[in-house]
Amino acid sequence: MGLIKGHRRRAAFAAAVPLMLLAAGLTWLAPAAGIVVAPGEPVDGLRGFATGMTAHVGAVNTGELSLADAEVAWSGASMDADADGLAGTQVSEVNRQWQDDRGGKISFARGAGLELGVGTAPIDPAQLQLTGLAEADAPPPSTANEEIEVPLDPLAYASVAEGNAVANSNESGLVPDVCVLGDDISRGRAHAADVDLLDLGGNTNENGLDSPLVSLDDVDNVEGDQRSVSQSQSREKLVPVGGNQFGLMSEVTMTMAPVTVQQDLGPTDPLRLLTIEVLGEWTLRAVATGGDGSFVELIEPGNAVVRILDADGLELLGIDLSDILGDLGLDLPDELEPLIQVSVGQPPRAIADPGTLPDEDSAPTETPNKAEGAIDIVRVRLLDAILPGGVADIRVGHMEVSAEVPDGGINCPIPVTKTADPDEIFVGAGATNTSHIELTVHNVFDCDLNNVTLTDRINRTEGDADFRLLNDEPEADSPDIPDDGLLVTDGSEVVVWSLGSIPKGTTKAVSIDLEAVEGGGILEDIAEAAGEFANCVGEDASGLAIAGLDLTGLSIPVEVRIELPRTGADALRTVGIGGGLALASSAAGLLLRRRRRAA
């Protein structure tokens, strides 16, 4: 059985306590495996992050200008459901901080079209020049959007730099805060177009840099081509792993504009050295299930092609998918070897420590509780033959993902609640012998619930109480309850309603009256809801969508106590007391007879 936090099952009252119909909250009954957590309680061991940039240019030094780093279309998303939340900072493999301390928050997202660090320590966010940066965290859920033009000649230019961030948490108070189903827990998007970095030439062009060291643009101006746009998306999402159990997916998806590198032959005479084209949409995904099936995978486009073009736009290398995956790098033609080093299409590997070179022979982490890895689709090193006195590290398609969950994942049920009025009933004419029970199914998720059924099970667990079911509203599918009520003498009945659809963020309620008829004892009442997700809010092309998933949920077990009529002034007399008095009376009579015989 899994760990149950924040709930202790209510012990059965002694028979001498008056009958009570307890108002219901939620029950958290552990499945065969997995962690079950009460609303508002932290979840240890459930955390993850994803971050990616379409291009990174680092440690460039031209003598007069110092550009410590630049990141294009940089997105990030993170979540941590433990007691501290997102305490501490997140620093990428290329030694850039992308999340500051968010202690007490369970989700965070960011997106920046273009970021520059000028003459600063790599992890010093206070000195960063941020453009088009949007950040959001939760709770409470929040969103942010930023869009600007970047005219920072001679450092950088972009016709548009845009960031979008969404951070979610479940605010219902009926399920764990992290149970965001049907949308991402966090999602960051970044978008940049017509990007130029570090002008090597003059300063005469108003739209873009005259001779940028690196461009992310369609330099060949193919008519109708939209490849001037670079964009990335990072997200954290709960994914189904069986029943009401969910694992965590961390994912980065991106498309990249062609990356062109120029050689500095003088301030007015730069030369296009080469262009790197990475076609299609690429995804790096990590899924942790808490059991079998955790993995890290690279999902390449159907037309996965990496091309390297020379100064005249002629193809030096054209690598299709079969050449890319599994290789540890490719050699360039001899004429480029003194100027540049390129690695293409290395498979997912371990995430390197910030500021260190990745280990090309390493493997991603894939255990039942954790999946983690990183990749650079193309990694380029410019030598000082291009930049006298300096070296540049360029990464195209850099992605990092990590997902971690406790054993079995996290349980997220459909919430079912109950109320009762009054909360104690008695047998006999003139007594309060009927209680009105109301059951409510809550859809607290970002999907509609379709084909919802609610099953209410009433079982006698002690005594010999008979009861009658009255006034079902709406009319139950089964059993058929006649106008004068359904008498239950065997102490067990199941009532089923078909509720149809419950739109996201709404509820549906049913009610039934329970009448005490004869005898006393304890009735245990448990209601179960079941439904299917549809019309979810969040976009999802992962193949791990929530739509179509069947979900269930139980109400807390409710004990219905049926008393015999009260006698005398003692309001605490019950079936047990009545039985005890009867036994005492019989014993007293026997004692008197014995005394008379002795006399």
Side-chain angles (χ1 to χ4, degrees):
M1 298 294 286
L3 175 66
I4 300 180
K5 300 177 66 176
H7 171 70
R8 294 183 179 178
R9 184 166 181 172
R10 191 184 303 271
F13 293 157
V17 179
L19 175 149
M20 298 181 66
L21 182 58
L22 303 176
L26 290 176
T27 188
W28 305 102
L29 303 179
I35 187 169
V36 186
V37 180
E41 292 295 315
V43 185
D44 293 330
L46 179 60
R47 61 182 61 89
F49 68 85
T51 185
M53 55 195 73
T54 60
H56 161 77
V57 180
V60 178
N61 186 352
T62 65
E64 295 181 1
L65 286 175
S66 175
L67 182 59
D69 62 87
E71 285 78 37
V72 180
W74 189 7
S75 63
S78 57
M79 65 81 52
D80 194 331
D82 69 12
D84 295 331
L86 291 167
T89 60
Q90 290 278 10
V91 179
S92 73
E93 191 181 81
V94 297
N95 214 18
R96 299 307 309 167
Q97 177 178 299
W98 59 271
Q99 179 216 293
D100 57 2
D101 189 333
R102 302 276 170 155
K105 302 292 185 177
I106 67 170
S107 66
F108 169 81
R110 59 106 71 194
L114 177 62
E115 292 198 13
L116 302 174
V118 182
T120 62
I123 60 171
D124 186 357
Q127 297 297 321
L128 283 178
Q129 189 168 13
L130 304 176
T131 54
L133 173 64
E135 296 181 310
D137 58 27
S142 63
T143 61
N145 294 279
E146 294 289 341
E147 180 179 344
I148 61 172
E149 183 183 3
V150 184
L152 296 176
D153 198 346
L155 297 178
Y157 171 82
S159 63
V160 62
E162 181 181 3
N164 170 267
V166 177
N168 289 315
S169 61
N170 195 307
E171 299 294 284
S172 69
L174 298 174
V175 293
D177 298 347
V178 75
C179 284
V180 177
L181 302 182
D183 199 357
D184 299 325
I185 301 175
S186 56
R187 179 176 62 251
R189 289 174 174 166
H191 171 104
D194 307 310
V195 176
D196 295 334
L197 300 174
L198 190 59
D199 202 343
L200 302 178
N203 187 19
T204 60
N205 192 340
E206 295 183 359
N207 294 318
L209 307 185
D210 295 311
S211 300
L213 173 67
V214 176
S215 296
L216 281 84
D217 199 351
D218 185 6
V219 294
D220 294 319
N221 297 314
V222 178
E223 184 176 356
D225 199 340
Q226 299 299 314
R227 292 186 301 154
S228 295
V229 175
S230 298
Q231 55 190 0
S232 71
Q233 174 178 273
S234 299
R235 62 180 184 147
E236 299 295 305
K237 186 179 183 69
L238 292 182
V239 293
V241 295
N244 289 349
Q245 299 300 122
F246 293 86
L248 181 65
M249 179 184 76
S250 298
E251 179 185 88
V252 180
T253 299
M254 63 176 57
T255 56
M256 291 145 278
V259 178
T260 297
V261 180
Q262 296 193 131
Q263 184 177 5
D264 184 8
L265 300 179
T268 60
D269 190 24
L271 173 67
R272 174 172 135 180
L273 184 63
L274 57 83
T275 297
I276 301 168
E277 291 185 340
V278 180
L279 305 181
E281 182 178 84
W282 298 72
T283 297
L284 183 65
R285 177 184 300 156
V287 175
T289 65
D292 296 335
S294 297
F295 62 89
V296 176
E297 66 175 344
L298 175 66
I299 303 172
E300 71 285 341
N303 60 337
V305 173
V306 176
R307 297 198 306 160
I308 297 179
L309 311 177
D310 67 10
D312 298 320
L314 301 177
E315 185 175 292
L316 294 174
L317 289 175
I319 311 112
D320 64 22
L321 176 61
S322 61
D323 296 319
I324 296 174
L325 298 181
D327 289 336
L328 295 180
L330 295 172
D331 295 328
L332 287 175
D334 293 339
E335 62 267 24
L336 291 180
E337 207 169 273
L339 305 177
I340 190 169
Q341 295 174 349
V342 179
S343 297
V344 180
Q346 295 175 347
R349 50 173 172 75
I351 298 176
D353 292 334
T356 65
L357 293 176
D359 181 355
E360 297 178 349
D361 296 323
S362 63
T365 299
E366 294 176 322
T367 68
N369 299 100
K370 189 172 186 178
E372 180 179 271
I375 194 170
D376 299 300
I377 298 176
V378 180
R379 189 162 57 248
V380 179
R381 186 173 175 82
L382 303 183
L383 306 181
D384 56 8
I386 297 176
L387 294 170
V391 175
D393 174 38
I394 300 175
R395 303 195 188 197
V396 181
H398 177 73
M399 296 177 269
E400 304 173 30
V401 291
S402 177
E404 185 176 353
V405 298
D407 291 341
I410 175 71
N411 186 274
C412 295
I414 299 174
V416 183
T417 58
K418 287 187 179 182
T419 59
D421 183 26
D423 60 4
E424 57 180 327
I425 58 177
F426 302 88
V427 175
T432 305
N433 65 345
T434 303
S435 180
H436 181 72
I437 305 171
E438 186 168 291
L439 305 93
T440 304
V441 182
H442 303 256
N443 184 358
V444 299
F445 306 116
D446 292 305
C447 302
D448 295 337
L449 276 173
N450 287 347
N451 304 318
V452 179
T453 60
L454 180 64
T455 303
D456 193 29
R457 294 180 174 87
I458 306 170
N459 293 289
R460 186 170 62 206
T461 60
E462 291 184 25
D464 59 355
D466 295 336
F467 59 94
R468 194 185 308 274
L469 299 180
L470 306 169
N471 306 323
D472 51 333
E473 179 62 38
E475 183 178 350
D477 294 11
S478 64
D480 182 17
I481 300 178
D483 293 340
D484 59 351
L486 177 67
L487 181 63
V488 181
T489 58
D490 63 357
S492 177
E493 189 57 75
V494 177
V495 186
V496 180
W497 288 269
S498 294
L499 302 182
S501 296
I502 304 179
K504 55 186 74 72
T506 65
T507 65
K508 277 193 177 180
V510 302
S511 65
I512 194 169
D513 292 336
L514 187 150
E515 179 187 49
V517 176
E518 187 176 3
I522 300 174
L523 304 176
E524 184 180 67
D525 188 305
I526 300 177
E528 179 180 14
E532 181 182 273
F533 278 142
N535 306 320
C536 300
V537 170
E539 301 176 8
D540 198 322
S542 67
L544 301 170
I546 302 293
L549 176 71
D550 292 325
L551 204 66
T552 62
L554 295 173
S555 73
I556 195 168
V558 170
E559 290 182 349
V560 180
R561 298 188 172 268
I562 299 179
E563 291 190 57
L564 296 176
R566 292 175 179 159
T567 58
D570 188 351
L572 296 181
R573 295 178 184 270
T574 64
V575 176
I577 291 178
L581 290 176
L583 180 60
S585 176
S586 299
L590 179 59
L591 180 59
L592 286 174
R593 285 194 295 272
R594 286 178 175 174
R595 285 180 177 176
R596 285 171 183 167
R597 288 174 181 170

